[in-house]
Amino acid sequence: MQRLPEYLKRPIIDTDKTKKVRHILRDMSLNTVCENARCPNKNECYMHNTATFLIMGKVCTRNCLYCNIGCEKPEPLDGNEPKNIALAIKELGLKYAVLTSPTRDDLKDGGAGHFKKCIEEIRFINPDCKIEILTPDFKGDKSALNIILEASPDVFNHNIEAVKRIFKDVRPQGDYERSIQVLKYMKDNGLKTKSGLIIGLGENYDDIKDTLADLHSVGCDILTIGQYIQPSKKHYEIKKIYTPEEYENLKQMAKDAGIRNYHIGPLVRSSYRAGSIL
């Protein structure tokens, strides 16, 4: 594994604020992508009393080669989870909440109904809280996507993650065009849409430019781009570490592609400071 430059490292933060967030999550038996995906921004977010909730368990039915979330036997859905998330949001005082999940191909609706229940509970207990959901592709099933449309989140996020040329190398069970069409369907039906790329997987600038053009062509409202950091030796190898200067080039590339709202930087992740670019 490559040594990381200093700008890709975060200090360990352990304060009363971070302890409070961990305490609330533990008491409510809630998972976060912050912990399970080993997000480098975890403690910064905890310092601001926020976290990205990981619903429907912490194992996935797909095996993307860059991801730290395990691919094992899926966990049963927790019927108390929607209300517990809503109560945790109230206790944390959040005005903007982000929900994500592992892919649940084992469920008939891919978990769309559970997303909807979570959104409904959050709105019932926290009517002023805006909600962003980061979902799997639901196999492109429009009946599942329609369940999400009924719930009407403030932002619908589905990450493309990798450029088209190498997509199948790192996401063997996914489909690039299907993901693009999911974003198009949700945008065409009135939702604000968002997607993200992780870079350093072997793409080049032309690949990134083409993917940004694809996202813009389906009306993607918000874009995130950040550096891939290899979770362990068994995961996909980092092919390139981008410099801070190169991120400035990527910002210009996003602007040139016509994407107005973007958050691009070495440690940017799809839900990092999400409420600030709504």
Side-chain angles (χ1 to χ4, degrees), residues 5-221:
E6 289 303 312
Y7 60 85
L8 285 175
K9 297 177 182 178
R10 289 285 199 211
I12 295 172
I13 303 172
D14 190 25
T15 67
D16 289 343
K17 278 191 174 181
T18 61
K19 288 174 182 174
K20 176 187 176 183
V21 173
R22 288 190 178 94
H23 180 75
I24 291 169
L25 295 170
R26 185 175 61 249
D27 283 358
M28 297 289 186
S29 300
L30 298 175
N31 295 310
T32 66
V33 74
C34 322
E35 299 283 352
N36 289 279
R38 296 182 63 183
C39 179
N41 304 309
K42 173 182 66 179
N43 289 317
E44 178 187 340
C45 293
Y46 284 6
M47 278 291 291
H48 291 90
N49 259 38
T50 189
T52 297
F53 299 97
L54 182 68
I55 66 173
M56 296 191 280
K58 53 187 179 181
V59 297
C60 191
T61 54
R62 298 188 192 174
N63 188 27
C64 297
L65 305 184
Y66 53 79
C67 185
N68 193 58
I69 292 176
C71 180
E72 302 168 26
K73 183 179 178 181
E75 302 170 44
L77 297 181
D78 178 359
N80 295 319
E81 187 172 57
K83 186 172 183 179
N84 285 343
I85 285 176
L87 292 172
I89 287 169
K90 184 174 183 178
E91 194 164 348
L92 290 166
L94 299 186
K95 296 300 180 186
Y96 193 95
V98 183
L99 311 181
T100 188
S101 78
T103 299
R104 292 296 304 262
D105 289 329
D106 59 304
L107 301 173
K108 185 177 180 181
D109 66 354
H114 198 75
F115 267 106
K116 185 182 179 188
K117 287 177 184 176
C118 289
I119 291 168
E120 290 170 344
E121 282 288 353
I122 292 168
R123 289 209 169 118
F124 179 70
I125 294 175
N126 308 274
D128 296 328
C129 183
K130 292 188 181 299
I131 304 167
E132 175 179 319
I133 61 170
L134 168 57
T135 79
D137 61 20
F138 301 115
K139 295 183 178 178
D141 180 5
K142 289 183 179 177
S143 63
L145 295 174
N146 288 340
I147 293 171
I148 299 295
L149 288 171
E150 288 170 12
S152 191
D154 295 281
V155 176
F156 173 82
N157 186 354
H158 173 62
N159 283 340
I160 201 76
E161 302 285 25
V163 300
K164 187 174 185 177
R165 182 174 58 82
I166 61 170
F167 191 93
K168 278 291 185 183
D169 293 341
V170 296
R171 307 193 71 184
Q173 295 155 290
D175 184 279
Y176 180 90
E177 292 297 341
R178 182 169 65 196
S179 286
I180 291 291
Q181 289 306 310
V182 164
L183 287 163
K184 182 180 190 302
Y185 186 76
M186 302 311 260
K187 178 65 178 178
D188 287 350
N189 282 279
L191 290 188
K192 187 182 288 287
T193 56
K194 178 177 178 180
S195 192
L197 273 173
I198 51 173
I199 54 175
L201 297 168
E203 69 293 319
N204 59 43
Y205 275 117
D206 286 339
D207 293 326
I208 296 171
K209 186 177 180 179
D210 289 345
T211 293
L212 298 190
D214 287 341
L215 291 172
H216 179 63
S217 74
V218 294
C220 184
D221 295 291

